[in-house]
Amino acid sequence: SVSKAVSKMRRKGLVALLLTGVTFVSGAFVAGNDAGHAYNDWPLFAGELIPNEIWDNSLVPAWRNFFENTATVQFDHRQLAYLTLLATIGTWVMARRPATWSRLAGPAQTSYKLMLAAVLGQVTLGITTLMLFVPVSIASLHQAGALTLWS
């Protein structure tokens, strides 16, 4: 039924929104720690799937690693970005099902298209920012993209 499909889309959309918000906040820690200046290879971290410095036992209490450890902060931001991308693609794929898409108003269809484009652009800007050692112009666009997605 239409209401069942809409309800499912809302739930998936909320997951994508929540992931976007958490990714947005984690990006602030990347910027605050200058974590973008470390591990400028992608998709690896200095040639490793998981950075060797991911946990610093000298940070007490241990939860400080999530906010102050450059390796953890950048690792978390990347993983959250991947999850946000997957959730957005999943939501878009669900919306594009013929039975759902045909019932969506034109502005709703446009919103799904723009959201997917914005997330793809944001991921591209993030990777570019990282690999080019954080040029201010591209990093600023990445931060502006985060604000765009969140709003």
Side-chain angles (χ1 to χ4, degrees), residues 36 40 124-135 138-140 142:
N40 295 98
T124 302
L125 279 171
I127 293 167
T128 303
T129 299
L130 182 73
M131 294 189 74
L132 294 178
F133 297 92
V134 196
I138 298 173
S140 297
H142 185 55

Side-chain angles (χ1 to χ4, degrees), residues 53-151:
E53 300 82 6
I54 194 146
W55 202 255
D56 182 353
N57 289 320
S58 71
L59 289 174
V60 177
W63 56 261
R64 288 178 50 202
N65 276 279
F66 295 103
F67 306 100
E68 299 175 28
N69 180 333
T70 297
T72 307
V73 166
Q74 192 180 126
F75 180 83
D76 289 350
H77 186 63
R78 287 192 199 186
Q79 303 320 304
L80 287 164
Y82 300 146
L83 288 172
T84 300
L85 176 63
L86 288 173
T88 303
I89 290 170
T91 303
W92 182 80
V93 167
M94 281 181 49
R96 288 293 299 171
R97 290 182 180 151
T100 305
W101 195 252
S102 64
R103 290 184 170 92
L104 291 174
Q109 291 178 357
T110 300
S111 294
Y112 279 106
K113 292 174 189 176
L114 290 174
M115 183 64 155
L116 179 62
V119 169
L120 289 169
Q122 186 64 356
V123 169
T124 302
L125 279 171
I127 293 167
T128 303
T129 299
L130 182 73
M131 294 189 74
L132 294 178
F133 297 92
V134 196
V136 172
S137 57
I138 298 173
S140 297
L141 286 173
H142 185 55
Q143 288 181 342
L147 288 172
T148 300
L149 280 172
W150 189 237
S151 58

Side-chain angles (χ1 to χ4, degrees), residues 14-35:
L14 285 174
V15 169
L17 179 64
L18 177 65
L19 282 168
T20 300
V22 174
T23 304
F24 177 85
V25 171
S26 78
F29 288 101
V30 170
N33 284 304
D34 287 328

